[in-house]
């Protein structure tokens, strides 16, 4: 897809200042080009699930065995018969689609198409890795702390250091407060459960 954006491509003469062994490659991209969206691999209409290829060494032989020789032969024959002076975007896209189809079919049979569920990246929403007491206040304090940290890393000034220390203390203070409140709520719920058990069973 990025081929449409390339407006200039050239391999320049060797320059020892730029590299010890490589020639510089110059590419200009045209940012005004509008690209069409490319659909991810999908086996159904479930928008919450995407399928991506993942290589598995144990299934390498299965993958090789399922590469369709007939389709590969047809693709090679098409490439050999191409008129290099009369190639357009549609021709290139068709070749790429045929090549991808051969690889995807073999990968699918070798169990190399894996299901991925996209992570929830919305700010302020607690992920599975967050602590149960990590709420919106904690998220905002952490965001402010990281902002001060990045600013101090760039500027290295006394003022930014003071702001970093202050935001760090505020972030830790908020975490401790939310943790204490969470502990208290858990203890209160346990007490309620114990009281209910005592009331209805008389075991205690």
């Amino acid at each position: 897809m990025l081929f449409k954006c390339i407006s200039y491509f050239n391999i320049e003469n060797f320059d020892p200042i730029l590299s010890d062994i490589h020639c510089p490659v110059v590419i200009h991209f045209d940012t005004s080009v509008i690209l069409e969206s490319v659909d991810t691999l999908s086996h159904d209409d479930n928008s919450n699930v995407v399928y991506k290829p993942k290589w598995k060494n144990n299934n390498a032989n299965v993958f090789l065995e399922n590469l369709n020789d007939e389709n590969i032969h047809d693709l090679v024959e098409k490439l050999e018969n191409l008129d290099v002076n009369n190639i357009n975007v549609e021709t290139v896209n068709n070749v790429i689609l045929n090549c991808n189809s051969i690889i995807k079919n073999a990968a699918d049979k070798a169990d190399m198409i894996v299901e991925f569920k996209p992570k929830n990246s919305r700010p302020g929403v607690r992920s599975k890795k967050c602590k149960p007491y990590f709420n919106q206040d904690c998220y905002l304090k952490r965001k402010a702390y990281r902002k001060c940290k990045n600013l101090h890393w760039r500027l290295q000034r006394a003022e930014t250091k003071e702001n970093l220390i202050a935001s760090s203390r505020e972030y830790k203070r908020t975490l401790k407060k939310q943790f204490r409140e969470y502990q208290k709520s858990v203890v209160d719920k346990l007490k309620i459960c114990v009281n209910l058990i005592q009331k209805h069973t008389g075991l205690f």
Side-chain angles (χ1 to χ4, degrees), residues 50-201:
V50 294
Y51 295 86
K52 298 181 180 180
K54 183 177 181 181
W55 180 258
K56 297 180 180 179
N57 289 329
N58 295 335
N59 295 355
N61 292 332
V62 179
F63 175 80
L64 294 175
E65 291 172 359
N66 284 282
L67 289 173
N68 193 301
D69 294 336
E70 184 177 351
N71 292 341
I72 295 175
H73 176 75
D74 293 341
L75 179 59
V76 172
E77 188 174 349
K78 289 180 181 179
L79 291 173
E80 291 177 347
N81 295 330
L82 280 179
D83 182 5
V84 294
N85 297 320
N86 189 25
I87 296 178
N88 53 31
V89 175
E90 184 178 357
T91 303
V92 175
N93 288 340
N94 289 334
V95 171
I96 294 174
L97 288 175
N98 291 336
C99 184
N100 287 344
S101 178
I102 294 172
I103 297 174
K104 284 167 57 178
N105 290 336
D108 197 10
K109 293 180 180 179
D111 194 26
M112 294 184 183
I113 304 297
V114 184
E115 176 182 309
F116 285 88
K117 292 185 178 180
K119 297 180 180 179
N120 192 342
S121 58
R122 289 181 299 166
V125 177
R126 182 169 61 86
S127 64
K128 293 182 179 179
K129 294 183 179 180
C130 290
K131 301 296 183 181
Y133 57 86
F134 194 92
N135 59 8
Q136 182 71 9
D137 290 337
C138 297
Y139 168 79
L140 294 176
K141 296 298 182 183
R142 184 180 66 180
K143 184 178 180 180
Y145 164 71
R146 288 178 174 176
K147 184 177 180 180
C148 292
K149 183 179 180 181
N150 292 333
L151 185 62
H152 177 63
W153 183 81
R154 293 198 307 268
L155 302 180
Q156 294 292 326
R157 296 177 181 174
E159 181 182 357
T160 57
K161 184 177 181 179
E162 292 178 0
N163 293 336
L164 174 60
I165 295 174
S167 62
S168 175
R169 290 175 178 172
E170 187 66 23
Y171 176 41
K172 292 178 181 179
R173 189 181 300 113
T174 302
L175 286 178
K176 291 179 180 179
K177 177 184 176 183
Q178 296 301 329
F179 179 67
R180 287 195 301 267
E181 292 181 356
Y182 172 75
Q183 279 187 318
K184 184 177 182 301
S185 65
V186 171
V187 172
D188 291 341
K189 290 178 181 178
L190 288 175
K191 288 181 179 179
I192 293 174
C193 291
V194 171
N195 291 334
L196 289 175
I197 293 174
Q198 288 177 335
K199 181 177 179 181
H200 291 89
T201 64

